[in-house]
Amino acid sequence: MLENLIVFILASIIGSEVISKVPATLHTPLMSGSNAISGITIVGALIVAGMVGDAWAMWIGVAAVIVATINVVGGFLVTDRMLQMFKKKD
Amino acid sequence: MKQNIINIAYLVSGIMFIYGLKRLQSPATARKGNQLAAIGMLVAVVATLFFKELLTPIQMLMGVVVGAGIGLYLAKKVEMTGMPELVAAFNGFGGIGSALVAGAEIARFMAHNAADTGGDEFTAISAVTISLSILIGMITFTGSFVAFGKLSERISGNPISFLGMRFITIVFLVAAVGATVWMGMENVTFQEINADAMLYGAIVVAVSGAFLGILLVIPIGGADMPVVVALLNSYSGLAAAATGFVLNNNALIISGALVGASGLILTNIMCVAMNRSLLNVLIGGFGGDGGDAAAGGGVSTAGMTVNSTSADDVAILLSYANKVIFIPGYGMAVAQAQHAVRELGEELAKKGVIVKYAVHPVAGRMPGHMNVLLAEANVPYDQLFEMDEINAEFETTDVAVVIGANDVVNPAARHDKASPIYGMPILNADKAGTSIVLKRSMRPGYAGIDNELFYNSNNQMLFGDAKESIAAVTNEVKQL
């Protein structure tokens, strides 16, 4: 538990340092991109659902896998679509 | 050994997320950064699929394929103007995902399965982390979908509140805490799993979370939507991190913390840009769909007149200017006028006019909304300026063109202590030689208040649909 908390706090600090330097121009892609990263629950879903014999746990887990994948795939793709539009003057 | 490989893979993906986000610090490297983060995700998923001994790999893979298909479809289909609601919806999916993982963990404990996911025994800490994961996940889920409804105008953008709302909020909070304590007490003290306490406790927490999410977002008005979207973004990260605590999984904790921090920073930036505290936003019920009677405001605009102008006059004014600053707002998005605006900007640049765009942090319905729309219309990002960069330049600017923005250029924010937006930093459009406001009618903006700028002697109103007006001006400019 304490170890988890340490990792959480350190990661939060790194996140704040890195993200506070993102310019306002990129705030929408930052949101949708970081949102895609929060789809990391897909890993949790795979672990819980894939390793347990219990049918309930598995089906709830499959549902979790589906929604988390929507989040991941949709989030990264839409961010990419936005970012490819940002161009310098040619 | 296999667990070590997985842990190293998680470390690698965490590093890729951090460097991916770091590359978002510049538009030149941002796309690569996002791709790096996506690869990081792939690493984490592949490592989990191949090195964990999954009992039901087929079902898992099916889930991934179905989710990927839906995500792909949504990402390809969305219009750039629809981005705020799509991000809100994705937030919601992330939130429900976390809640479901915690739910599956509950089912696992109930089934008394020895196959382990980390900490096998149900402890007080398990009760707390599982509850938190379900609670934050459900708040994110319902909150995001209420925000989705408001942003896509499926439900009214007006703030909704009713008598006893705060009381009900407290009741749900107490219920969630009570259920958590019950779950913990029943299962920890008796050394064996009490399935009823487990199941009903989790259901109470989930239902409370669902209602809390709704109660969080319905009192928030249209003008404050960027704050809410950013806050829910943060919650979706915290939900993932809470799930990481449940499963003792560092990949989830690190990524969740990154997203949580990102959302909080954006929330804070939005609040500062409106000169209001987060608490004030959450309970404020500020601003509706517009069209309500002008509220507040110490300076009465009754009886004052506005100058109305025509496309020809605007064209002449712009063509002979040295410097023009465009100020886009949500109205530009609604009218889909961004392409027309870019064309006008290019025509003016051909005539030697310096063209810049000033973007207020809360313009639009989500952080950075205007920048994305203008980028879509091929406006180079080095012509886009943040408020602090450009505000000093208005005094040396000949014409400021306000396209569908309202409250962010209201000078009342500077001096009128009675105004609801007093103290909010604004773009100094009134300090330009001439300001031109494109507007459909004299309806007030999202904050529901009248705008002093319109009545200035050096301000001219160009009434009509923003897209058509701009196109008409562009035509005239071409002929000059």
Side-chain angles (χ1 to χ4, degrees):
Chain A
M1 177 67 192
L2 186 63
E3 252 174 69
N4 290 344
L5 210 58
I6 292 170
V7 171
F8 178 76
I9 292 170
L10 286 178
S12 303
I13 293 172
I14 294 174
S16 314
E17 287 296 320
V18 170
I19 289 150
S20 57
K21 296 193 187 79
V22 174
T25 305
L26 293 176
H27 277 169
T28 296
L30 168 66
M31 256 173 108
S32 62
S34 64
N35 187 224
I37 293 177
S38 76
I40 188 76
T41 35
I42 185 179
V43 166
L46 288 172
I47 293 174
V48 179
M51 298 195 59
V52 188
D54 181 56
W56 268 103
M58 190 202 60
W59 286 115
I60 298 175
V62 169
V65 169
I66 294 175
V67 288
T69 315
I70 296 177
N71 194 192
V72 169
V73 174
F76 281 126
L77 279 179
V78 92
T79 309
D80 190 62
R81 240 185 89 191
M82 276 189 271
L83 287 173
Q84 71 182 14
M85 301 182 317
F86 281 87
K87 289 187 201 84
K88 254 197 150 132
K89 198 171 179 179
D90 35 40
Chain B
M1 179 58 201
K2 280 194 166 173
Q3 191 54 47
N4 283 341
I5 296 178
I6 293 176
N7 283 339
I8 290 170
Y10 289 165
L11 173 68
V12 169
S13 69
I15 292 171
M16 289 169 109
F17 290 153
I18 292 168
Y19 279 100
L21 287 171
K22 189 170 157 56
R23 290 192 182 173
L24 281 177
Q25 290 174 1
S26 154
T29 55
R31 195 173 177 205
K32 287 249 161 58
N34 182 57
Q35 288 163 352
L36 189 66
I39 295 169
M41 187 64 77
L42 194 66
V43 169
V45 171
V46 169
T48 312
L49 275 174
F50 286 96
F51 291 99
K52 283 263 180 198
E53 276 121 29
L54 300 181
L55 299 174
T56 51
I58 306 295
Q59 283 92 328
M60 296 302 109
L61 223 54
M62 255 170 45
V64 170
V65 170
V66 171
I70 299 174
L72 184 78
Y73 172 75
L74 291 174
K76 292 281 170 208
K77 200 195 69 165
V78 66
E79 298 269 342
M80 284 302 143
T81 39
M83 205 50 82
E85 52 263 38
L86 186 72
V87 171
F90 282 155
N91 264 330
F93 287 127
I96 189 77
S98 299
L100 284 172
V101 173
E105 187 70 352
I106 291 271
R108 187 183 72 86
F109 274 117
M110 282 169 60
H112 239 301
N113 201 301
D116 195 13
T117 60
D120 188 25
E121 250 168 76
F122 191 86
T123 61
I125 290 174
S126 323
V128 173
T129 54
I130 288 182
S131 282
L132 265 181
S133 181
I134 297 178
L135 188 71
I136 305 176
M138 288 306 288
I139 291 176
T140 312
F141 174 57
T142 56
S144 295
F145 277 93
V146 174
F148 170 82
K150 285 197 177 210
L151 288 164
S152 58
E153 288 170 0
R154 283 178 177 82
I155 52 179
S156 162
N158 288 317
I160 300 165
S161 57
F162 50 86
L163 200 69
M165 191 152 103
R166 248 162 257 175
F167 176 73
I168 294 176
T169 304
I170 291 168
V171 168
F172 279 121
L173 271 175
V174 170
V177 172
T180 306
V181 171
W182 182 48
M183 245 161 78
M185 298 286 279
E186 282 290 315
N187 291 300
V188 177
T189 39
F190 300 109
Q191 300 292 317
E192 63 177 57
I193 299 297
N194 175 343
D196 282 349
M198 214 43 138
L199 181 64
Y200 296 121
I203 290 176
V204 170
V205 173
V207 171
S208 305
F211 278 102
L212 285 170
I214 296 171
L215 290 168
L216 175 77
V217 181
I218 53 167
I220 294 172
D224 289 338
M225 255 11 232
V227 187
V228 186
V229 178
L231 187 68
L232 288 167
N233 187 230
S234 171
Y235 283 0
S236 75
L238 294 179
T243 312
F245 279 88
V246 171
L247 301 175
N248 268 316
N249 184 309
N250 276 337
L252 268 72
I253 296 175
I254 293 172
S255 322
L258 291 174
V259 180
S262 154
L264 273 186
I265 288 173
L266 290 176
T267 308
N268 186 45
I269 291 173
M270 297 299 116
C271 286
V272 169
M274 295 194 299
N275 189 40
R276 293 167 61 205
S277 69
L278 180 58
L279 190 68
N280 181 278
V281 171
L282 293 182
I283 63 175
F286 196 71
D289 274 336
D292 310 343
V299 179
S300 168
T301 49
M304 293 168 77
T305 51
V306 298
N307 306 317
S308 179
T309 184
S310 67
D312 322 5
D313 292 340
V314 173
I316 293 167
L317 198 62
L318 291 177
S319 298
Y320 294 100
N322 276 320
K323 184 155 83 180
V324 172
I325 297 180
F326 289 106
I327 302 173
Y330 185 59
M332 183 186 79
V334 174
Q336 294 274 18
Q338 62 271 29
H339 295 276
V341 172
R342 188 255 314 155
E343 208 192 335
L344 176 57
E346 281 178 359
E347 286 301 324
L348 292 174
K350 274 188 211 160
K351 294 191 185 293
V353 181
I354 301 167
V355 176
K356 293 185 177 183
Y357 296 81
V359 182
H360 192 279
V362 294
R365 284 293 170 273
M366 73 185 293
H369 191 183
M370 291 301 121
N371 305 77
V372 170
L373 290 182
L374 291 170
E376 184 204 9
N378 281 324
V379 174
Y381 60 78
D382 36 13
Q383 285 182 8
L384 306 181
F385 293 88
E386 296 178 26
M387 180 168 60
D388 297 337
E389 292 173 321
I390 203 164
N391 244 351
E393 278 189 44
F394 278 99
E395 283 173 41
T396 58
T397 299
D398 304 288
V399 190
V401 185
V402 182
I403 308 156
N406 193 339
D407 300 324
V408 298
V409 291
N410 191 345
R414 266 191 235 119
H415 62 80
D416 182 1
K417 288 196 174 136
S419 171
I421 60 167
Y422 176 69
M424 168 172 142
I426 57 161
L427 288 163
N428 298 332
D430 56 325
K431 304 229 166 124
T434 308
S435 55
I436 295 168
V437 177
L438 276 77
K439 221 170 155 0
R440 255 177 194 290
S441 65
M442 282 305 288
R443 268 175 33 155
Y446 263 77
I449 48 177
D450 214 347
N451 193 335
E452 273 179 45
L453 175 69
F454 303 164
Y455 303 94
N456 277 354
S457 57
N458 61 346
N459 179 71
Q460 298 173 7
M461 307 293 295
L462 183 57
F463 290 111
D465 175 75
K467 193 175 171 183
E468 287 164 19
S469 300
I470 292 280
V473 173
T474 310
N475 259 337
E476 294 296 329
V477 169
K478 278 183 186 162
Q479 284 162 26
L480 282 169

